[in-house]
Amino acid sequence: MVSAPCPSLEAPMQTIGICRFSYPGDGGFQVEHRSLRERIDYLYAPARMHERFATFETMMLPPLKAQSDDDFTLLIVIGDSLPPVYRDRLEAAVEHMPQAVIQAHQPGPHRKVMQEAINSVRRFDGDACLQFRMDDDDAVACTYIEHLRQAAYDVLPMASRHRHIAIDFNQGFIARPSADGLSVAPTNVPYTTAALALMFRPDLPLSVMNFAHMKVGQKMPTVTFSGEDMLIRGHNDHNDSRQKPGTRAPKLAPLDAAGKAHIKATFNIDADAVAKAFATPLSK
């Protein structure tokens, strides 16, 4: 086993979150398409984009904008074919979010493109790098970056002996957004993408996108934290993973007043704003 310098406590470890916003890559989809044109047409279909922005703007972004530790980078990867109307709206959504970086890439091998995108914003400064991935309908608690960074320091004694370590916060909700707001079910499934991070050795150029999230326990040491709601995993008709035959839908229930208050306090997500976004007619 190759040893590497142990990250220092002098400065915060760089933390990078990545969101693929309808990026038409080669691979990275559980639902296949016969051609690149077919994939682009599917990804940029008006009804799908209407829903993607509704979740991105009302579920994913609000908690990231309210992080108790705001020292992180949010890398948003799009295709260079994204129509200007959607690119403009995306830029407007993160205009006042200094952590956000939008990168446009040509279609290419999914994992390779994502790895290069992440490494383009990575400092490679001699300290470990924390990386997490999010879909545009996922969310993390407003304390996620703070808790993740503290957990990373807690496992530092292991860092010099392992290339990568998974830090998993597994408690939260599966949520389905609609014009009625949010319907949710509690979850504590390990290695759920939204609040799962990988801690990489300082000199290792791999990225969180090089690993299938459900298989990280087969590839590296993992540490799981429970007991506190830390994630929301979106559930909707356009979820790639929900479209495979045999997928069972979770039993969801509408939020009551107490549930709405908890979601707002924990995730900075306004269930009424979600309802309004989904009730808004599709623009012509």
Side-chain angles (χ1 to χ4, degrees), residues 17-152:
I18 184 168
C19 173
R20 301 164 298 166
F21 193 85
S22 297
Y23 169 72
D26 179 10
F29 289 86
Q30 295 186 40
V31 177
E32 294 299 331
H33 302 94
R34 290 173 294 182
S35 67
L36 176 61
R37 182 71 260 169
E38 184 179 285
R39 176 162 293 177
I40 287 175
D41 289 344
Y42 165 77
L43 290 176
Y44 300 160
R48 184 182 183 279
M49 293 303 292
H50 179 66
E51 184 175 291
R52 304 299 0 118
F53 273 105
T55 56
F56 181 76
E57 293 169 347
T58 67
M59 292 177 63
M60 182 183 148
L61 285 184
L64 291 176
K65 290 180 176 180
Q67 286 296 305
S68 56
D69 180 344
D70 63 3
D71 186 359
F72 67 97
T73 298
L74 174 64
L75 177 60
I76 303 167
V77 178
I78 61 174
D80 61 357
S81 56
L82 185 70
V85 64
Y86 299 137
R87 174 68 185 258
D88 292 346
R89 182 169 175 180
L90 188 63
E91 291 179 348
V94 298
E95 181 180 3
H96 301 295
M97 187 177 181
Q99 298 89 348
V101 176
I102 299 174
Q103 287 189 2
H105 290 265
Q106 295 180 346
H110 171 258
R111 289 188 175 184
K112 181 175 184 292
V113 172
M114 295 303 121
Q115 181 178 347
E116 290 176 351
I118 289 176
N119 284 340
S120 73
V121 299
R122 189 172 165 186
R123 293 197 296 257
F124 290 102
D125 56 3
D127 282 337
C129 180
L130 300 170
Q131 300 177 18
F132 62 99
R133 57 187 287 187
M134 301 182 71
D135 289 339
D136 50 40
D137 58 351
D138 292 336
V140 291
C142 296
T143 57
Y144 175 64
I145 301 298
E146 177 185 350
H147 281 70
L148 171 60
R149 189 166 273 129
Q150 182 57 60

Side-chain angles (χ1 to χ4, degrees), residues 127-277:
D127 282 337
C129 180
L130 300 170
Q131 300 177 18
F132 62 99
R133 57 187 287 187
M134 301 182 71
D135 289 339
D136 50 40
D137 58 351
D138 292 336
V140 291
C142 296
T143 57
Y144 175 64
I145 301 298
E146 177 185 350
H147 281 70
L148 171 60
R149 189 166 273 129
Q150 182 57 60
Y153 287 129
D154 289 344
V155 302
L156 267 180
M158 300 169 57
S160 63
R161 299 191 301 275
H162 299 281
R163 287 158 53 89
H164 26 57
I165 300 169
I167 301 174
D168 175 36
F169 294 89
N170 73 342
Q171 182 172 310
F173 301 94
I174 297 171
R176 184 181 183 91
S178 72
D180 296 320
L182 289 172
S183 293
V184 306
T187 183
N188 61 356
V189 176
Y191 313 134
T192 300
T193 54
L196 169 68
L198 302 188
M199 178 178 176
F200 289 96
R201 199 175 66 185
D203 60 339
L204 192 66
L206 292 177
S207 81
V208 65
M209 302 304 290
N210 288 109
F211 299 88
H213 64 98
M214 294 304 296
K215 296 182 179 180
V216 294
Q218 303 170 25
K219 303 294 184 181
M220 64 191 75
T222 71
V223 181
T224 297
F225 296 86
S226 194
E228 183 175 356
D229 292 332
M230 200 61 65
L231 68 94
I232 290 178
R233 181 66 167 146
H235 186 281
N236 63 74
D237 293 337
H238 292 294
N239 279 126
D240 184 55
S241 59
R242 308 301 182 200
Q243 299 180 49
K244 294 181 73 68
T247 301
R248 292 191 302 172
K251 295 182 179 179
L252 307 175
L255 287 174
D256 57 15
K260 288 182 179 182
H262 177 67
I263 293 295
K264 177 63 175 177
T266 305
F267 299 97
N268 193 37
I269 292 174
D270 185 337
D272 293 334
V274 174
K276 182 178 179 181

